[in-house]
Amino acid sequence: MEKIPLVDLKAQYLSIKDEIDEAIERVINKTAFILGEEVEAFEEEYARYCGAKHCVGVASGTAALHLALVACGIGPGDEVITTPFTFIATAEAISHCGARPVFVDIDPQTYNIDPTKIEAVITERTRAIVPVHLYGQPADMDPILSIARRHGLKVIEDAAQAHGAEYKGRRTGTLGDVACFSFYPGKNLGAYGDGGAVVTDNVETANRVRRLRDHGRQAKYEHLEIGYGERLDALQAAILRAKLRYLETWIEARRNHACQYTNLLGECRVVTPYEAPFVRHVYHLYVIRSSHRDELVVYLRARGIGVGIHYPIPLHLQPAYLQKDYGNSHLPIAEQAATEVVSLPMYPELTGEQIAHIADAVNQFCQ
Ligand SMILES: *Cc1c(COP(=O)(O)O)cnc(C)c1O
């Protein structure tokens, strides 16, 4: 069998080539490249998809997190609670505000922040909680929201991996005070470059992010506050509009692939993903666990199977954060997960035959 990559963006492009090409041509013909009609139309369509009132397109998922935190009033001296088991952008955005990320260990089954460990780290400086919907599975939001309400904290969803995921029947983007999405090319809804969005029901938050992304601008050369250059561009918006129409079909394909993997790996000595009963997991990544992870990675790569590790080093142990004052944090569940997780190929265009081939290889390794 031919090599199977971890993700295959070319296969997806070819499946909707005419629509993508038309979208790109439309923008070039109008030569309106920054913000404008395409971005506004995408914002409206994506807000509707989430079931939220407002969507503001920004330059990346990192920008979405940063601007959402600023709009929530996070600043120097503040503490923001988050998970150590995520991409570093989650914590970086907190640091960019001059605030300090406070890492809380994860749930061993879902890999999401463990709500039962949050209250112990709340201090008088705590201002917000940033749960990450890791791999496409929403964090357990009800206990997180009730802790936040009790302590007067904002909840900012990092939904970079969880477009269209649901918690108790509601989509990401509507679960906290504000939600942040990434349209990095490999995400479930991916642009052809960088892109992101802030989604919220709160009109003040939306307006503030709208202003912050565009140099604090109120009119062409009238700047109400010191902002940033973190706008979404029209080419990305047009491409995202074309792809948004397929997002539900692609999510269903991912969920079917996950189901097939889990069935085929049932007898194997690896741990398959746990799906909480109240969620719709959108399988940005299909992540299994093995106590022989490093050997498994070598074994699968030698057979032409593209695998990844998300993530090999939890954030509290990253050199970037180790120097600072995070010595208090021994987070054993995240540390253990980082040595055992491995992501198998996952993208909508995978075939049943490819999944069977990958599962065979994993099963052979386990024998
Ligand atoms: C991808 C990702 C981000 C950052 O998004 P960019 O668009 O790459 O800036 C943030 N958080 C998580 C969990 C991500 O997976």
Side-chain angles (χ1 to χ4, degrees):
M1 180 163 290
E2 276 188 38
K3 285 192 174 184
I4 308 173
L6 183 62
V7 288
D8 187 348
L9 299 178
K10 188 67 181 284
Q12 185 168 82
Y13 169 59
L14 293 177
S15 77
I16 55 166
K17 184 176 183 307
D18 290 349
E19 286 148 274
I20 295 283
D21 293 354
E22 187 278 323
I24 292 171
E25 219 176 286
R26 193 171 71 229
V27 173
I28 294 174
N29 280 329
K30 279 195 271 191
T31 61
F33 293 114
I34 304 293
L35 296 177
E37 278 172 30
E38 288 290 342
V39 172
E40 282 165 31
F42 171 70
E43 289 173 341
E44 198 178 300
E45 289 160 14
Y46 194 65
R48 193 179 322 132
Y49 174 79
C50 294
K53 291 201 181 112
H54 310 283
C55 167
V56 184
V58 297
S60 67
T62 310
L65 285 159
H66 176 220
L67 299 184
L69 285 158
V70 173
C72 285
I74 309 304
D78 293 342
E79 292 179 0
V80 177
I81 294 169
T82 192
T83 165
F85 202 54
T86 175
F87 182 58
I88 195 167
T90 314
E92 270 178 328
I94 297 167
S95 301
H96 289 160
C97 296
R100 177 184 139 91
V102 175
F103 300 113
V104 164
D105 213 352
I106 56 169
D107 177 281
Q109 283 188 291
T110 63
Y111 308 106
N112 281 324
I113 192 167
D114 183 345
T116 66
K117 294 181 177 152
I118 290 177
E119 249 171 336
V121 303
I122 293 177
T123 71
E124 72 279 0
R125 291 166 178 256
T126 309
R127 296 285 175 272
I129 307 173
V130 182
V132 178
H133 307 311
L134 199 71
Y135 307 150
Q137 166 149 259
D140 193 1
M141 293 301 286
D142 278 350
I144 293 171
L145 289 165
S146 94
I147 292 165
R149 232 172 276 127
R150 251 194 328 274
H151 296 271
L153 311 176
K154 297 281 190 188
V155 176
I156 296 140
E157 300 173 66
D158 182 341
Q161 304 188 358
H163 318 72
E166 290 172 20
Y167 178 79
K168 300 186 181 173
R170 292 170 59 199
R171 284 203 178 142
T172 55
T174 66
L175 304 174
D177 293 294
V178 52
C180 305
F181 291 89
S182 165
F183 305 122
Y184 183 83
K187 298 286 160 80
N188 284 17
L189 179 61
Y192 286 1
D194 276 310
V198 174
V199 171
T200 181
D201 275 344
N202 185 310
V203 67
E204 277 108 54
T205 306
N207 286 341
R208 181 89 194 279
V209 173
R210 219 175 273 289
R211 199 162 74 209
L212 285 170
R213 75 174 169 184
D214 193 22
H215 305 286
R217 200 188 307 258
Q218 170 159 273
K220 189 161 170 72
Y221 290 118
E222 189 186 347
H223 305 272
L224 217 60
E225 64 177 320
I226 295 169
Y228 303 88
E230 294 187 332
R231 301 169 297 217
L232 182 65
D233 70 71
L235 271 173
Q236 302 311 333
I239 289 162
L240 290 166
R241 289 181 74 196
K243 292 179 76 171
L244 181 57
R245 292 182 212 121
Y246 294 90
L247 183 55
E248 279 302 297
T249 313
W250 290 336
I251 289 172
E252 282 311 310
R254 286 174 182 274
R255 288 176 50 77
N256 287 334
H257 297 340
C259 193
Q260 192 189 344
Y261 267 131
T262 297
N263 287 337
L264 293 172
L265 295 173
E267 305 296 305
C268 181
R269 278 176 297 128
V270 295
V271 179
T272 53
Y274 168 79
E275 250 184 66
F278 43 74
V279 306
R280 180 198 196 203
H281 193 323
V282 294
Y283 289 98
H284 171 56
L285 294 167
Y286 184 87
V287 177
I288 60 173
R289 249 179 118 127
S290 163
S291 48
H292 302 284
R293 192 268 312 274
D294 293 344
E295 295 97 308
L296 177 58
V297 165
V298 171
Y299 186 90
L300 293 176
R301 283 188 180 147
R303 280 155 188 76
I305 297 168
V307 295
I309 298 173
H310 303 90
Y311 295 89
I313 307 174
L315 299 187
H316 65 292
L317 300 181
Q318 286 288 352
Y321 279 113
L322 210 51
Q323 326 306 338
K324 311 218 170 69
D325 168 34
Y326 298 94
N328 58 336
S329 36
H330 173 50
L331 305 169
I333 315 264
E335 287 164 26
Q336 171 110 23
T339 68
E340 296 187 351
V341 292
V342 49
S343 310
L344 300 182
M346 173 55 85
Y347 48 91
E349 298 75 17
L350 265 180
T351 65
E353 207 184 354
Q354 287 173 313
I355 295 169
H357 174 76
I358 297 159
D360 276 349
V362 177
N363 282 320
Q364 275 159 24
F365 174 83
C366 288
Q367 274 169 7

